[in-house]
Each structure stands twice: as C-alpha cells, then as structure tokens.
Amino acid sequence: MPPRQNQSWVSEFILLGFSSDPLSNRILFIAFLLLYLSSVLGNGLIVTLIYLNMHLHTPMYFFLCILSLLDMSYITTTMPQMLVHLLAHSQTISFAGCWLQMYMFGALGLTECILFVVMAYDRYIAICHPLHYTVILSWGLCARLAAGAGACGFFFSLIHTFFTMRLPYCGPNVVNHYLCEGPSVRSLACMDTHLIEKVDQVISVLMLVAPLSLIFASYIRIGQAILKIKSTQGRCKAFSTCASHLTVVTLSYTPATYIYMRPNSSSSPEQNKHITLFYNVFNVLLNPLVYSLRNKDIKVAFVKAMGQSRMYS
C-alpha cells in the first residue's frame, strides 16, 4: 500500500441511493417504511409464536426463530439509515459508520448462508432418521450449530471488511448504492484492488458455493428417503416440511450468487442496487409469509394465540 503522506483521505462517504428527486424520495420513503415495518412485524410474529407455543419448541422451529431474528437485524442494518437519507438533504455516512454497516451487513448475511445448511441438516435428520431426531439434534447440538453459524459469518465478514476498508480512499467519495456494500465502496479506492477481489472470491466460494453444495447433497439424500415412502400421503407430508426451506434458500442464494460470484467487470451498479434490495428487503418480508402459508403448525399457533388474546380482552 502506498504511503499516506501529502494525500487527503476521505472521512465520509455519500450514498447515492435510488433517486435525487424530492418527490420520488418521499414516495420511496413511504413504500420502504411500510416494507420495513411489515418485515419486522412479520418476523417478530414468527419469533413470538415460537416462544409462546410449547409445541413449537423443537430444533426445526428453533432454527426458524434464529432465522427470523437474523432477518430483523439484517434489514435494520440498512433500512433506517436509507429512510433518513430519503428525507434528508445530506446522504453522508461517516467512515466508521460505513465500516460498521459493511461489517454487520456481511456478518448477518453470511451467518444466514451457514444457517441454511444447518436447517437442511435438520430436515435430513427429521426425514432420514426420524426415530433418532431428538437424540441426534439435542438442544446442546442445536445451540452449538447456531453459534458456529454466527462465528463463521462474523469471522469472514471481518476479513472482508478489514481488507476493503484498509484500502486508501483519496476521492471521490460517492458510492453508487444505498448502503456501504463492499464492491461498491472498493471501486472508489485509489490503488489496485485485484488482490482484495481475489480474497472476496475465496470468501464467496467458502460461504456461498460450499454451503449450497452441502444443501444440495442433503436434499439428494432427503429425496432418496422420500421416494422410499410407500404412501402418497406420507411422501407429500415429508416433502411439505422441506418446501418452505427450499423456497427461502432459492430466494436468498440466487441473487447473492449472481452478485458476488460474477467478475467485477460485468457488474452494473444500478442492477446491483436493485438485486441487493431484493435479498436485503423483499426476502426478509417474504420469509415469514413462506413459512406461515405453508406451515400448518405456525397457522395453528397463530389461531391459538389470537383466541387467547380475545379471551383476555
């Protein structure tokens, strides 16, 4: 890295967001505020139902609860600041604030990637070894798996953020994004970033390709086990327990793989913004809907909770 003498270094970044038109920003503010509140309320409802209903105190719903907590945290790392920027005259974020947002955004996203593998393992045990499900997936193992997912996510995000933010930034400081996303910020560095891009590619393989391969392998075994079930009703019931997880994995991994596994030369900043918005905002909104609409236990827990609230009102 070149010496820092006699150069001016940026102390803040400007996030361009989606529009510079005040009217458009006010409309976007209302739309994103509703999306944010709906996402937090939806995921909060899932966590509350699982906490209140003893029948949902199983490994599957424990991991679903962790996913909902991650989703609420994930959207909160970006959305409140974007809402402020939509109404404010200034769209600046301090260097330290950018560092923190990039780290938390990456850490929570990578933790979810690993958690999806854990959830696939849970479905594998439930379908392929149903009689030993609670023995294999003890609460101690569940806690260690969840903690391991978090440790991996936060560790690799620290590597990504450290290498990105230690680059020299001597201007311009305008980030063509609505958040401090690694590749968008890195493009402003005033030195060659080829080595850092290679580091990111290694992280992408470890945290995207490897987990996706493990999920795929798990579902091959699950598919083989389902085909051995003789009754059609039994097959449908077994498949329905996996459908929600497969849907969420597809919605999460497809846009993330598209952005982070492509060469930087083929990246379009505007396209990246919209794809990031999808898995950062719309995915978080859709996850509770996917799990609640396709899950009989969640529906029953919701009806039961509503019945109890009417009794006390």
Side-chain angles (χ1 to χ4, degrees):
M1 185 179 294
R4 298 194 173 194
Q5 291 85 357
N6 301 323
Q7 295 190 48
S8 59
W9 303 91
V10 300
S11 59
E12 63 183 18
F13 293 98
I14 299 172
L15 302 175
L16 281 184
F18 292 97
S19 174
S20 58
D21 177 56
L23 178 60
S24 298
N25 282 342
R26 282 193 286 270
I27 295 172
L28 288 173
F29 174 84
I30 295 172
F32 287 137
L33 178 62
L34 292 175
L35 286 171
Y36 177 60
L37 293 176
S38 300
S39 300
V40 172
L41 289 174
N43 283 282
L45 179 62
I46 295 288
V47 173
T48 304
L49 290 175
I50 293 172
Y51 176 76
L52 294 177
N53 195 308
M54 293 297 295
H55 295 293
L56 300 182
H57 291 186
T58 64
M60 172 183 171
Y61 292 106
F62 170 74
F63 295 130
L64 177 56
C65 184
I66 298 295
L67 177 63
S68 292
L69 290 171
L70 285 172
D71 278 342
M72 285 192 289
S73 304
Y74 193 47
I75 194 171
T76 302
T77 60
T78 60
M79 193 55 62
Q81 182 194 54
M82 186 172 73
L83 291 172
V84 171
H85 283 178
L86 286 171
L87 296 183
H89 295 293
S90 173
Q91 284 79 43
T92 59
I93 181 172
S94 67
F95 192 90
C98 186
W99 205 108
L100 181 62
Q101 185 183 62
M102 185 185 299
Y103 175 61
M104 292 305 300
F105 182 79
L108 294 168
L110 293 176
T111 299
E112 282 199 7
C113 289
I114 303 299
L115 185 66
F116 287 137
V117 180
V118 174
M119 295 173 79
Y121 176 67
D122 166 75
R123 291 299 82 208
Y124 163 73
I125 298 298
I127 292 173
C128 298
H129 305 282
L131 299 178
H132 302 94
Y133 179 62
T134 55
V135 176
I136 297 174
L137 277 177
S138 64
W139 284 114
L141 178 60
C142 289
R144 289 193 296 272
L145 289 172
C152 288
F154 279 78
F155 173 72
F156 282 105
S157 181
L158 180 62
I159 294 174
H160 161 76
T161 306
F162 174 76
F163 278 107
T164 300
M165 298 306 287
R166 74 187 293 269
L167 291 169
Y169 295 96
C170 43
N173 66 337
V174 179
V175 180
N176 190 5
H177 216 295
Y178 70 91
L179 63 95
C180 281
E181 191 242 8
S184 299
V185 174
R186 190 173 59 226
S187 66
L188 302 178
C190 47
M191 68 168 284
D192 180 59
T193 61
H194 181 72
L195 178 61
I196 312 300
E197 290 169 13
K198 292 297 183 184
V199 171
D200 270 6
Q201 286 176 359
V202 172
I203 293 175
S204 296
V205 170
L206 291 174
M207 301 301 287
L208 286 173
V209 178
L212 196 56
S213 301
L214 291 173
I215 293 171
F216 183 68
S218 296
Y219 274 102
I220 289 178
R221 299 295 299 273
I222 289 171
Q224 291 172 343
I226 290 175
L227 291 175
K228 292 178 181 178
I229 299 175
K230 294 180 180 180
S231 68
T232 304
Q233 184 179 1
R235 289 182 183 180
C236 292
K237 184 178 179 181
F239 178 76
S240 66
T241 64
C242 304
S244 298
H245 179 250
L246 278 172
T247 303
V248 171
V249 166
T250 302
L251 290 173
S252 299
Y253 271 94
T254 302
T257 302
Y258 180 78
I259 288 183
Y260 295 108
M261 294 304 296
R262 287 185 307 161
N264 282 357
S265 57
S266 64
S267 299
S268 164
E270 292 300 321
Q271 190 178 51
N272 284 354
K273 268 194 291 189
H274 291 95
I275 295 174
T276 303
L277 183 70
F278 176 80
Y279 69 78
N280 177 219
V281 178
F282 290 98
N283 248 14
V284 175
L285 175 66
L286 291 173
N287 285 356
L289 294 175
V290 170
Y291 277 103
S292 60
L293 291 176
R294 300 188 63 93
N295 192 300
K296 182 181 177 181
D297 293 335
I298 294 290
K299 292 178 184 177
V300 170
F302 178 73
V303 172
K304 185 178 179 180
M306 291 300 293
Q308 289 177 345
S309 65
R310 287 174 183 172
M311 286 176 59
Y312 291 110
S313 62

